Amino acid sequence: MKFKAPRGTYDILPSESWKWQHLTDVFRRTAALFGFEEIVTPVLEQSDLFERSSGESSDIVQKEMYRFQDRKGRTLALRPEGTAPVVRSFCEHHLDAAARLTRLYYIGPMFRYDRPQAGRYRQFYQYGVELIGSHNPYYDAEIIAFECAFLQNLGFNDYELHINSVGCPCCVPDYEAALSAYFQPLKDELCEDCQTRLIKNPRRILDCKIAHCRDLSRSAPVILDHLDEDCRQHFSEVKSYLDNIGIAYTIDPRIVRGLDYYTHTAFEFIYPALGAQNTIAGGGRYNGLIEQVGGRSIPAVGIAGGFERLLLALERQSADLGSRPALDITLITIGETAQKMAPQLIHYLRQTGCSTIWDPEKPSLKAAFKAADAQKSRYAYIIGDDEIAQLKITRKDMIAGTQDQIDWPDSSL
RNA sequence: GUGGAUGUAGUUCAAUGGCAGAGCACCGGAUUGUGGUUCCGGGCGUUGUGGGUUCGAGUCCCAUCAUCCACCCCA
């Protein structure tokens, strides 16, 4: 075997692809229910779009982005996430001119140069929805409600919803100062990573998985106590909207989103049984992003989820994913005359909407029926000299095993 | 980028340093007009790749690639 799919990428084979179709079908249906319309953007973007939006210091930009020069020396990147491209397109095409609020969804591959692991790939598939144009906390709740509806439509209920407010540029500096002040005296007790976090990004200490660091952060200052009035008010309204529509959530002050553009509400949908990579969807409000990308200051909120992890979770739960599509008819011919008539018959059957296959080689009948089995054909249509003489088709029900005769569909055939 | 485990037939796995095998799947036949059961028959695969040690390497050593798991990070 000479060629292999590149590291961290994989093929979705026919034995699996129908499941993906199911996921995307349910996603599109749910998105439509919420009034979202699809937007498709290129897989390639100018790399500074991501550098500017995600933050120069973010891991995505620092070490995970596929970045290269094209033949004219332009620096392009394979998109590592979906929101920045959507926002770029939104600004470029002035989508806000048409409506006060823009509701968009997308589906597509994303790329991050990461070490592959359970539920983590270099090319992976995400879906996302974005509500652009309002700072109203109702929409934060609506995005969360959308994700809940999507998961529910897939028959998936075993997830946890964690929400937090990450503050805004007005209150974050104050909070980070308080955090540093708290951890500084405990510095020597922190793990090595957390000691550097203390200097670079103290909030990440709260996310550490080392037991002792967790113990230390238990009584650390909480962002929610340091929110300014506006953020506090916003968060409390989001919660009351959620309460209102009966969505259960856990307030998790440790949620720190990986991208710099998030403000106010942040949320994650988690399925703990997935192992280390257990976040199936994450999102939040990004009021500063659109301005950073070059547009006016426009508030927005959105969420993105990973199809791989969703599928892993659904399979773990043995959720109903539908079934691999079956074929209506396998046509089996016996003898030269039937052989000659088959193409016209199969053409006719397909035109009437019956999925039909026929093998022009002449396998043994046994092999022909086995093939019909392998394709999960509902019926086998058999034509041979006997049938042709009587203008009949022998129709075998492949599930019941019974057999009867039907008229040729059109006597002119 | 760091650490650990693992790479043998389509697949799941065997093979005290001494002739590369089995189950399942697949193909053919028993049944030249009938599948899913049964019976019989069908396996030369660069043992991931490249070096090394050895009379001899699937087995030991080194490198490399890939997969899995964890760190990191996130979807």
Side-chain angles (χ1 to χ4, degrees):
Chain A
M1 190 80 53
K2 197 160 184 205
F3 294 108
K4 286 185 187 172
R7 174 155 216 215
T9 69
Y10 58 96
D11 302 309
I12 302 174
L13 303 174
S15 55
E16 293 290 308
S17 58
W18 60 270
K19 297 177 191 169
W20 288 76
Q21 251 175 57
H22 178 250
L23 295 186
T24 55
D25 285 352
V26 173
F27 174 76
R28 285 176 202 280
R29 226 170 30 235
T30 311
L33 220 48
F34 280 69
F36 293 106
E37 293 180 290
E38 183 166 21
I39 182 167
V40 181
T41 66
V43 165
L44 290 172
E45 294 279 354
Q46 279 172 244
S47 72
D48 24 329
L49 171 64
F50 301 107
E51 283 151 20
R52 183 123 29 114
S53 61
S54 301
E56 302 272 2
S57 69
S58 67
D59 276 22
I60 286 184
V61 170
Q62 284 288 308
K63 48 183 200 186
E64 295 174 6
M65 203 156 70
Y66 278 92
R67 207 164 165 271
F68 61 94
Q69 313 262 109
D70 73 4
R71 288 172 187 252
K72 269 279 175 71
R74 288 173 277 245
T75 306
L76 302 177
L78 255 33
R79 63 181 178 200
E81 59 106 20
T83 300
V86 166
V87 165
R88 190 228 81 221
S89 179
F90 172 89
C91 293
E92 183 175 339
H93 302 288
H94 308 287
L95 297 187
D96 53 335
R100 231 166 58 73
L101 188 76
T102 309
R103 299 165 172 270
L104 299 170
Y105 79 80
Y106 62 86
I107 290 180
M110 305 295 162
F111 304 83
R112 291 183 201 174
Y113 191 88
D114 228 354
R115 187 102 169 235
Q117 190 185 330
R120 190 168 75 187
Y121 301 91
R122 290 186 172 176
Q123 174 173 344
F124 58 101
Y125 295 85
Q126 275 194 338
Y127 59 88
V129 297
E130 315 286 359
L131 273 166
I132 305 173
S134 170
H135 58 260
N136 194 318
Y138 168 76
Y139 291 115
D140 303 44
E142 179 151 299
I143 288 285
I144 292 171
F146 165 79
E147 182 68 17
C148 292
F150 173 44
L151 296 176
Q152 191 185 356
N153 289 344
L154 285 169
F156 182 54
N157 299 306
D158 247 5
Y159 57 83
E160 294 172 11
L161 166 60
H162 292 197
I163 65 172
N164 189 23
S165 174
V166 296
C168 67
C170 299
C171 48
V172 164
D174 166 52
Y175 173 61
E176 290 194 332
L179 258 188
S180 299
Y182 170 83
F183 281 115
Q184 201 61 48
L186 304 168
K187 188 177 166 192
D188 295 337
E189 290 191 57
L190 291 169
C191 73
E192 216 172 292
D193 285 340
C194 282
Q195 296 195 11
T196 58
R197 286 176 185 136
L198 181 55
I199 299 156
K200 287 170 103 178
N201 189 350
R203 293 161 90 186
R204 290 234 171 267
I205 300 174
L206 304 177
D207 217 17
C208 186
K209 273 140 196 148
I210 309 268
H212 192 58
C213 296
R214 293 186 88 114
D215 288 344
L216 291 177
S217 38
R218 203 145 288 159
S219 40
V222 169
I223 176 76
L224 297 176
D225 297 330
H226 289 260
L227 295 178
D228 62 30
E229 191 44 43
D230 179 46
C231 288
R232 196 193 314 278
Q233 175 71 20
H234 186 93
F235 192 48
S236 107
E237 284 181 41
V238 171
K239 287 185 290 185
S240 69
Y241 276 121
L242 292 178
D243 293 336
N244 210 310
I245 45 183
I247 290 174
Y249 55 86
T250 307
I251 294 172
D252 182 351
R254 284 203 319 267
I255 292 182
V256 183
R257 307 254 67 235
L259 306 174
D260 284 0
Y261 52 64
Y262 286 104
T263 58
H264 299 83
T265 326
F267 35 83
E268 288 184 356
F269 285 75
I270 292 169
Y271 182 60
L274 281 189
Q277 312 299 323
N278 60 11
T279 304
I280 57 176
R285 180 161 277 286
Y286 49 95
N287 287 350
L289 175 61
I290 294 165
E291 195 170 14
Q292 279 176 61
V293 167
R296 293 181 288 122
S297 171
I298 297 173
V301 58
I303 191 169
F307 280 117
E308 288 83 359
R309 292 181 188 177
L310 190 52
L311 189 54
L312 283 172
L314 288 167
E315 290 189 323
R316 194 172 190 95
Q317 289 208 333
S318 352
D320 181 12
L321 297 171
S323 55
R324 191 167 175 172
L327 202 63
D328 296 319
I329 298 164
T330 294
L331 181 61
I332 297 173
T333 52
I334 303 159
E336 292 302 321
T337 319
Q339 180 93 359
K340 288 213 176 69
M341 299 176 89
Q344 285 176 55
L345 179 56
I346 198 170
H347 178 70
Y348 174 85
L349 290 169
R350 286 173 179 162
Q351 281 202 322
T352 62
C354 294
S355 53
T356 311
I357 58 164
W358 171 63
D359 183 356
E361 314 276 327
K362 284 168 260 175
S364 67
L365 265 194
K366 181 194 177 84
F369 274 95
K370 278 192 146 181
D373 248 355
Q375 293 282 345
K376 296 216 163 51
S377 276
R378 186 67 186 80
Y379 295 101
Y381 279 16
I382 303 122
I383 53 173
D385 294 341
D386 299 350
E387 284 81 2
I388 290 163
Q390 299 162 39
L391 276 180
K392 296 278 186 192
I393 293 172
T394 300
R395 177 178 67 177
K396 177 156 184 175
D397 182 320
M398 294 298 286
I399 295 168
T402 55
Q403 186 164 299
D404 61 0
Q405 302 243 298
I406 57 172
D407 292 329
W408 276 74
D410 181 354
S411 56
S412 72
L413 275 174

